[in-house]
Amino acid sequence: MSTATSTAVVVTGLGVVSPNGLGTRDFWDATRSGKSGIGRITRFDPSQYPARLAGEIPGFVAEDHLPNRLLPQTDRMTRLALVAADWALADAGVTPAELPEFDMGVVTASHSGGFEFGQNELRKLWSLGSQHVSAYQSFAWFYAVNSGQISIRNGMKGPSGVVVSDQAGGLDAVAQARRQIRKGTSLIVSGAVDASICPWGWVAQLAGDRLSTSDEPTRAYLPFDADASGHVPGEGGAILILESARAARERGAKVYGEIAGYGATIDPRPGSGGESGLRRALEVALADAGVRAEDVDVVFADAAAVPELDRVEAEAVNAVFGVGGVPVTAPKTMTGRLYSGAAPLDLAAAFLAMADGVIPPTVNSAVVPEYGLDLVGGEGRGAVVRTAVVLARGQGGFNSAVVVRASASA
């Protein structure tokens, strides 16, 4: 499928909010150079919890970017998402007021909704009484709130929604956005931003039993390493502007690349003895894109940093590409796993890698030889990147894969 065909869906704008960079350029400069945003939690006192590290976004002041009327009704997650959407639209050269309102939509993903807002209102309920609970609690915590607030702010009344599939959700949302554009909608705002670094959200994450308890930022999140012992969570993500290739071409838009293929599967029930569906998701995505394994220049790994999950991912990659057959990277080692926001941030990194000709590094990890992966470390690797695969998995058995490729003119 060529980017010149009427069914091709391309990305024309990026908006990034990340622990190692606020804004696309700052994020990419930090990521290329291996700069980490992981450190001890500052948004609350973590000393009483077994896990105390996170990827927090520094220097974000919502009042500098959003009108005051929005602040009482939004969680930190939504404020970050609104700003990322503004930046993505500006990057795409899109002024929503100039476009038909029913020809624009919003499809995002969410892992946990507005946890911090919910925590604060529950505290008021317990300590002060129901009359002190904000009326905005009715929606500010909800999974779909980012889609709703972005659509309201920008007058977007076309196909919209939210996808909830844990850390795979960001890819699933982008795939749903692609479907809507193929059905005729001109523009969809998609991707995901998550932020639940608060005591209530932290306890929920600890319950998943996958968090690293190391207090050393450079040794806490080590996917594919012999010392892998869980991940470090983070906040942030990326918002992408998706359009049909034809619409982008007609308005002379800059194009980062194409959302070329997508595959998703569900793992069998734990204990059933069935194999993971990750390999199948990868194969479906390649087939959907019409791409051969040997044409892929890099794989952005899910990078769970849980030994059994790392083994499954390595086996899936090796089965499709051959042992050491494709460079593999996990730049999320610099940000932590951003839940639904992680994979859209990897999509952004993939497009930026295409533009700059460099594969970003996986910091701190030394790959276990038995995994057979060509894991990119150091300060990255110079390479011609035309086609990339992004993998994501979520608790509950979700597996997703997206193939992206450079535009024909890049």
Side-chain angles (χ1 to χ4, degrees):
M1 180 172 59
S2 165
T3 53
T5 69
S6 60
T7 58
V9 175
V10 298
V11 172
T12 57
L14 300 174
V16 171
V17 284
S18 169
N20 68 339
L22 191 57
T24 301
R25 179 46 53 190
D26 285 351
F27 158 74
W28 185 237
D29 287 346
T31 299
R32 284 191 56 169
S33 63
K35 178 183 176 182
S36 176
I38 292 174
R40 185 178 173 88
I41 292 171
T42 63
R43 293 188 57 77
F44 64 92
D45 180 5
S47 59
Q48 62 183 311
Y49 301 96
R52 292 170 287 273
L53 299 181
E56 295 180 321
I57 296 175
F60 177 75
V61 180
E63 291 83 352
D64 292 344
H65 305 282
L66 299 171
N68 287 336
R69 64 176 177 78
L70 278 175
L71 301 183
Q73 59 181 280
T74 49
D75 181 77
R76 177 175 173 86
M77 167 196 75
T78 301
R79 295 172 184 177
L80 289 165
L82 285 168
V83 171
D86 286 351
W87 290 345
L89 288 164
D91 186 41
V94 170
T95 303
E98 298 176 354
L99 300 177
E101 57 188 10
F102 288 98
D103 206 24
M104 302 178 289
V106 184
V107 180
T108 67
S110 179
H111 166 264
S112 52
F115 248 65
E116 189 171 31
F117 195 103
Q119 172 186 293
N120 291 337
E121 298 311 310
L122 285 173
R123 182 184 293 115
K124 293 177 187 177
L125 174 66
W126 296 332
S127 61
L128 300 173
S130 60
Q131 68 272 23
H132 294 275
V133 176
S134 170
Y136 297 125
Q137 168 69 357
S138 61
F139 60 80
W141 71 271
F142 191 47
Y143 299 103
V145 67
N146 287 357
S147 289
Q149 289 283 18
I150 292 170
S151 64
I152 292 168
R153 179 168 169 79
N154 295 286
M156 297 174 170
K157 298 182 179 180
S160 298
V162 64
V163 179
V164 182
S165 48
D166 196 60
Q167 306 217 29
L171 295 186
D172 297 335
V174 168
Q176 174 66 2
R178 184 177 73 147
R179 293 188 195 102
Q180 295 299 341
I181 290 173
R182 285 179 166 180
K183 291 178 180 179
T185 303
S186 290
L187 180 149
I188 299 283
V189 177
S190 192
V193 172
D194 256 316
S196 56
I197 302 177
C198 61
W200 191 27
W202 204 246
V203 169
Q205 293 174 66
L206 285 166
D209 199 30
R210 292 186 181 179
L211 267 59
S212 170
T213 58
S214 171
D215 285 322
E216 175 51 56
T218 62
R219 301 304 300 163
Y221 182 24
L222 302 170
F224 307 111
D225 190 286
D227 293 331
S229 60
H231 70 267
V232 173
E235 60 180 359
I239 297 296
L240 293 73
I241 307 303
L242 277 66
E243 302 181 64
S244 70
R246 177 179 295 172
R249 185 171 60 251
E250 288 175 351
R251 71 179 187 88
K254 166 191 64 184
V255 173
Y256 284 99
E258 178 189 354
I259 304 295
Y262 167 70
T265 60
I266 290 287
D267 285 340
R269 178 177 54 83
S272 66
E275 294 184 1
S276 167
L278 182 61
R279 174 183 174 179
R280 179 60 178 159
L282 176 51
E283 291 172 337
V284 170
L286 292 173
D288 183 38
V291 167
R292 300 173 301 173
E294 55 266 35
D295 296 328
V296 173
D297 300 304
V298 62
V299 172
F300 285 74
D302 175 71
V306 174
E308 176 59 18
L309 296 176
D310 285 351
R311 180 190 63 78
V312 168
E313 183 167 25
E315 288 179 351
V317 170
N318 290 337
V320 173
F321 299 102
V323 176
V326 64
V328 175
T329 187
K332 58 173 66 74
T333 50
M334 291 172 264
T335 64
R337 288 173 68 85
L338 311 184
Y339 295 95
S340 67
L345 190 61
D346 277 347
L347 290 175
F351 288 125
L352 295 167
M354 292 174 185
D356 279 6
V358 61
I359 298 172
T362 306
V363 300
N364 303 320
S365 283
V367 65
V368 174
E370 289 75 15
Y371 287 151
L373 296 178
D374 177 15
L375 192 67
V376 177
E379 295 185 357
R381 181 184 301 174
V384 175
V385 180
R386 301 289 301 175
T387 304
V389 172
V390 175
L391 299 177
R393 292 176 292 173
Q395 284 190 272
F398 301 104
N399 303 293
S400 295
V402 163
V403 178
V404 296
R405 84 182 134 214
S407 63
S409 58

